[in-house]
């Protein structure tokens, strides 16, 4: 970690930086024009792939309304590592609504997600565990830019850049109740080989307050993501993108 010296105007502000690296695979099965199932698996390291950080499993269902509003529910499980072993696990059901539209010729997407987090942590040297509950609403705004097409014959082969910003509010913690607000910034170039397969490299930066006043933790995360889609029905029209 790297500590940044105190900030301007005489304020005592320390920021500790941590780097994390991960890989994810996302598979979407389109059951019909409106219904989809999504599976998502991932693994993340930290400090230059030297330490395991977490693994994640997620399954979700989504429905697209006639007005192109996406509604979704999901269940996720995360296992968190500490000193080489899994010390805590999290069940995370969520519900979301998202809507894409064009503004001044730009492709924008709004997403509101509600998460209920049940975090179970094992105490040192024992099999006993304590459970804490957190409620986390989060709002994300993303801008999607087409940089250029890779082929005139195959227009779906293209390089796309996604820019995003997300605000995450979290409340809970049981007896140690707390409320935090975080901001997450996203930059993600994506190489799309077709409407059914693509690879992206996503960088996110998030600053989180710690229990110590004036001390913050900044996480820089680099994700390599592979996206795949299967259409379980026949349609002559262009398919809905991931």
């Amino acid at each position: 970690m790297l500590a940044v010296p105190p900030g301007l105007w005489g304020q005592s502000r320390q920021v500790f930086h941590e780097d994390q690296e991960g890989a994810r695979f996302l598979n979407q099965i389109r059951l019909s024009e409106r219904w989809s199932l999504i599976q998502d698996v991932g693994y993340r390291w930290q400090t230059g792939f030297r330490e395991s950080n977490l693994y994640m499993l997620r399954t979700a269902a989504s429905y697209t309304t006639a007005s192109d509003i996406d509604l979704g529910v999901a269940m996720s499980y995360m296992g968190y590592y500490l000193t080489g072993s899994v010390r805590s696990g999290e069940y995370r059901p969520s519900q979301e609504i998202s809507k894409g539209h064009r503004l001044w010729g730009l492709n924008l997407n709004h997403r509101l997600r509600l998460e209920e987090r049940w975090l179970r942590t094992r105490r040192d040297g024992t099999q006993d565990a304590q459970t804490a509950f957190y409620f986390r609403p989060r709002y994300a705004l993303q801008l999607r830019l087409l940089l250029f097409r890779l082929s005139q014959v195959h227009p779906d082969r293209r390089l796309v850049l996604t820019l995003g910003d997300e605000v995450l509010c979290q409340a809970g913690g049981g007896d140690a109740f707390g409320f935090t607000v975080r901001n997450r910034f996203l930059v993600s170039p994506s190489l799309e080989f077709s409407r059914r397969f693509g690879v992206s490299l996503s960088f996110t930066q998030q600053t989180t307050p710690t229990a110590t006043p004036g001390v913050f933790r900044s996480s820089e995360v680099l994700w390599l993501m592979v996206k795949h889609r299967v259409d379980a029905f026949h349609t002559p029209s262009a398919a809905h993108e991931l």
Side-chain angles (χ1 to χ4, degrees), residues 73-88:
V73 293
M75 171 60 79
S76 305
Y77 180 80
M78 282 80 169
Y80 297 95
Y81 289 85
L82 182 63
T83 62
S85 62
V86 178
R87 297 296 299 276
S88 60

Side-chain angles (χ1 to χ4, degrees), residues 146 148-159 192-195:
L146 173 62
F148 55 84
R149 300 188 185 276
L150 303 177
S151 171
Q152 294 182 347
V153 179
H154 303 282
D156 291 337
R157 297 179 184 176
R158 54 191 183 177
L159 183 64
E192 299 179 351
F193 297 96
S194 69
R195 291 184 178 271

Side-chain angles (χ1 to χ4, degrees), residues 3-17:
V4 177
L8 301 176
W9 306 294
Q11 291 180 340
S12 179
R13 176 185 172 94
Q14 284 186 308
V15 180
F16 291 90
H17 292 268

Side-chain angles (χ1 to χ4, degrees), residues 26-136:
L26 188 149
N27 183 63
Q28 180 187 24
I29 302 175
R30 297 189 65 234
L31 304 176
S32 68
E33 286 283 359
R34 301 198 182 278
W35 286 98
S36 295
L37 294 178
I38 301 168
Q39 299 82 37
D40 189 4
V41 296
Y43 197 92
R44 196 167 74 191
W45 297 264
Q46 60 186 7
T47 60
F49 296 96
R50 290 191 293 270
E51 301 176 44
S52 295
N53 178 248
L54 66 83
Y55 69 88
M56 59 170 289
L57 305 169
R58 184 177 73 103
T59 184
S62 68
Y63 175 78
T64 303
T65 68
S67 54
D68 290 332
I69 297 176
D70 291 326
L71 306 174
V73 293
M75 171 60 79
S76 305
Y77 180 80
M78 282 80 169
Y80 297 95
Y81 289 85
L82 182 63
T83 62
S85 62
V86 178
R87 297 296 299 276
S88 60
E90 178 188 349
Y91 289 96
R92 186 188 299 179
S94 62
Q95 310 81 38
E96 69 177 57
I97 179 173
S98 63
K99 170 68 175 176
H101 68 99
R102 292 181 64 84
L103 179 65
W104 301 318
L106 301 175
N107 293 316
L108 298 174
N109 184 270
H110 304 264
R111 187 191 69 194
L112 176 63
R113 177 180 292 174
L114 305 178
E115 296 177 337
E116 300 80 42
R117 307 179 64 191
W118 276 273
L119 186 64
R120 185 175 176 84
T121 305
R122 196 172 64 208
R123 293 186 175 92
D124 293 337
T126 69
Q127 295 299 318
D128 296 334
Q130 62 182 26
T131 302
F133 172 76
Y134 300 90
F135 176 64
R136 185 166 73 173

